[in-house]
């Protein structure tokens, strides 16, 4: 069979979510609205945390980083998906596909690290409340955020550099709405065993490693909450973790299932990928605004201030 090298193949074809034009139009409107809500919700969260001095504490510093990360993560995949839903030519340049795969991996990895950092923050706040301000100082918080970005981008860079050197065959079709490393390997004529092993190891260490850190943090939190004698005290302690725990379940639940399923373009795989990369970034600001009394109070103060300034 004839083999083409990387330079000879300039484009891949993203099959997307549907080939039916009428369904594509409906999907375009749906995901455009989801993307707009994602942008508005996360920008609003960034604005509220920055504008309200009551939220200038480590917990909301990390939440601010999460909102910025969700903006980045959704913007990596959704605009191209929307373009393909309106276009008959559903191609993407190989370089663009590799770039998208890099940023999907990097932002997803950063979010995994950041969620582990946020779990540690909640652990210190509940298990050692008197030492919270001393332990979670500004230098440590900034350092953990930069480490999250650095580790994830380094991990993504190592994986993508190996993928750049692959040769690709005649089949240029990707059964997905976005480019991910796991969807590129079946298209290659080269031996991808090293790439697959590296991706598997890095995913295991990165995602399962951070998940283990979250589990250990919550084990300490649960043990501490159970030792509180009053029911109201237990409820108050748990309420500070409920938003983060919901986000963790959404992110890791859909993320793990998306990566564990074979790359086949099945409806189930598409559903988990959409949940992981499109729906969760929209839901996170809703979760933190609806379940968090301090965020709701801050929004009320800002809106009242803005309303009174107009009068």
């Amino acid at each position: 069979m004839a083999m083409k090298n990387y330079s000879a193949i300039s484009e891949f074809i993203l099959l997307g979510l549907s080939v039916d034009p009428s369904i594509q139009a409906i999907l375009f409107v749906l995901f455009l609205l989801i993307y707009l809500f994602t942008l508005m919700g996360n920008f609003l969260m960034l604005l509220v945390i920055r504008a309200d001095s009551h939220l200038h504490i480590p917990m909301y510093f990390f939440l601010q980083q999460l909102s910025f990360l969700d903006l980045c993560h959704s913007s990596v995949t959704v605009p191209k998906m929307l373009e393909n839903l309106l276009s008959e030519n559903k191609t993407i340049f190989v370089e663009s596909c590799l770039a998208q795969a890099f940023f999907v991996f990097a932002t997803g990895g950063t979010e995994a690290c950041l969620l582990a950092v946020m779990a540690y923050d909640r652990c210190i706040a509940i298990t050692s409340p008197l030492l919270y301000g001393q332990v979670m100082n500004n230098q440590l918080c900034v350092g953990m955020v930069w480490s999250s970005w650095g580790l994830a981008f380094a991990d993504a860079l190592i994986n993508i550099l190996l993928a750049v050197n692959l040769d690709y065959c005649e089949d240029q079709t990707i059964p997905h709405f976005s480019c991910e490393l796991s969807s590129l390997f079946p298209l290659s004529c080269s031996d991808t065993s090293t790439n697959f092993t590296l991706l598997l190891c890095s995913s295991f260490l990165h995602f399962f490693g951070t998940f283990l850190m979250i589990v250990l943090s919550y084990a300490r939190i649960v043990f501490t909450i159970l030792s509180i004698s009053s029911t109201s005290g237990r409820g108050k302690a748990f309420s500070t973790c409920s938003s983060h725990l919901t986000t963790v379940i959404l992110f890791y639940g859909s993320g793990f299932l998306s990566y564990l399923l074979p790359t086949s373009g099945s409806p189930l795989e598409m559903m988990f990928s959409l949940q992981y990369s499109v729906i969760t970034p929209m839901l996170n600001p809703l979760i933190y605004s609806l379940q968090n009394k301090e965020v709701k109070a801050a929004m009320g103060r800002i809106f009242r201030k803005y309303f009174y300034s107009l009068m």
Side-chain angles (χ1 to χ4, degrees):
M1 181 178 67
M3 180 184 298
K4 293 184 179 181
N5 58 26
Y6 169 79
S7 60
I9 291 182
S10 60
E11 294 178 334
F12 291 129
I13 300 171
L14 290 169
L15 289 184
L17 301 172
S18 175
V19 295
D20 188 330
S22 59
I23 295 178
Q24 287 179 351
I26 296 172
L27 291 175
F28 174 81
V29 174
L30 174 63
F31 288 113
L32 177 61
L33 290 174
I34 289 175
Y35 185 53
L36 292 176
F37 278 124
T38 300
L39 295 179
M40 289 187 293
N42 284 289
F43 272 123
L44 179 61
M45 191 65 70
L46 289 171
L47 175 64
V48 169
I49 294 173
R50 183 175 181 83
D52 194 285
S53 59
H54 296 85
L55 302 183
H56 292 175
I57 59 175
M59 174 181 175
Y60 297 106
F61 170 71
F62 295 132
L63 178 55
Q64 191 176 36
Q65 300 301 316
L66 181 65
S67 293
F68 176 71
L69 191 56
D70 281 337
L71 286 171
C72 296
H73 191 65
S74 61
S75 296
V76 170
T77 56
V78 179
K80 183 60 181 178
M81 181 177 68
L82 292 174
E83 177 191 335
N84 284 348
L85 286 171
L86 289 181
S87 174
E88 294 183 3
N89 182 24
K90 304 181 186 303
T91 58
I92 182 171
F93 288 114
V94 172
E95 296 84 358
S96 300
C97 189
L98 290 169
Q100 188 181 65
F102 169 78
F103 284 110
V104 166
F105 195 96
T107 53
T110 304
E111 186 155 350
C113 291
L114 190 58
L115 289 174
V117 168
M118 295 172 77
Y120 175 74
D121 170 72
R122 291 299 83 210
C123 180
I124 298 298
I126 292 174
T127 60
S128 305
L130 298 179
L131 297 176
Y132 178 70
Q134 181 180 347
V135 174
M136 299 302 295
N137 56 68
N138 183 66
Q139 184 177 0
L140 178 64
C141 293
V142 173
M144 287 193 294
V145 168
W146 276 110
S147 297
S148 298
W149 283 95
L151 285 172
F153 271 73
D155 194 8
L157 184 62
I158 292 171
N159 279 275
I160 209 69
L161 286 177
L162 278 180
V164 167
N165 294 321
L166 293 176
D167 294 320
Y168 297 98
C169 304
E170 295 285 350
D171 186 10
Q172 301 168 247
T173 303
I174 299 176
H176 212 282
F177 60 86
S178 67
C179 293
E180 296 186 6
L181 283 172
S182 57
S183 62
L184 293 179
F185 296 159
L187 305 182
S188 177
C189 301
S190 308
D191 179 13
T192 59
S193 58
T194 302
N195 301 75
F196 182 77
T197 302
L198 177 62
L199 179 62
L200 189 64
C201 291
S202 60
S203 297
F204 182 84
L205 292 174
H206 205 120
F207 290 96
F208 283 90
T210 53
F211 184 70
L212 178 61
M213 293 171 62
I214 292 172
V215 170
L216 292 175
S217 294
Y218 271 99
R220 289 190 62 192
I221 289 171
V222 170
F223 181 78
T224 302
I225 290 177
L226 291 177
S227 66
I228 299 174
S229 56
S230 67
T231 305
S232 61
R234 290 181 182 179
K236 184 178 180 181
F238 181 74
S239 66
T240 64
C241 304
S242 59
S243 299
H244 176 261
L245 190 57
T246 304
T247 301
V248 167
I249 292 171
L250 286 173
F251 178 82
Y252 281 94
S254 56
F256 281 158
L257 290 171
S258 174
Y259 274 91
L260 289 174
L261 288 172
T263 307
S264 60
S266 66
L268 187 62
E269 182 198 356
M270 290 287 190
M271 182 181 70
F272 286 127
S273 295
L274 285 170
Q275 171 67 46
Y276 167 74
S277 59
V278 180
I279 308 299
T280 298
M282 178 193 70
L283 292 179
N284 282 343
L286 291 175
I287 292 168
Y288 276 95
S289 61
L290 294 177
Q291 294 188 9
N292 192 295
K293 294 180 180 179
E294 291 180 330
V295 172
K296 287 191 287 187
M299 287 182 174
R301 286 190 293 268
I302 291 174
F303 287 139
R304 283 195 299 271
K305 183 178 179 181
Y306 177 74
F307 177 75
Y308 289 142
S309 67
L310 296 177
M311 296 180 65

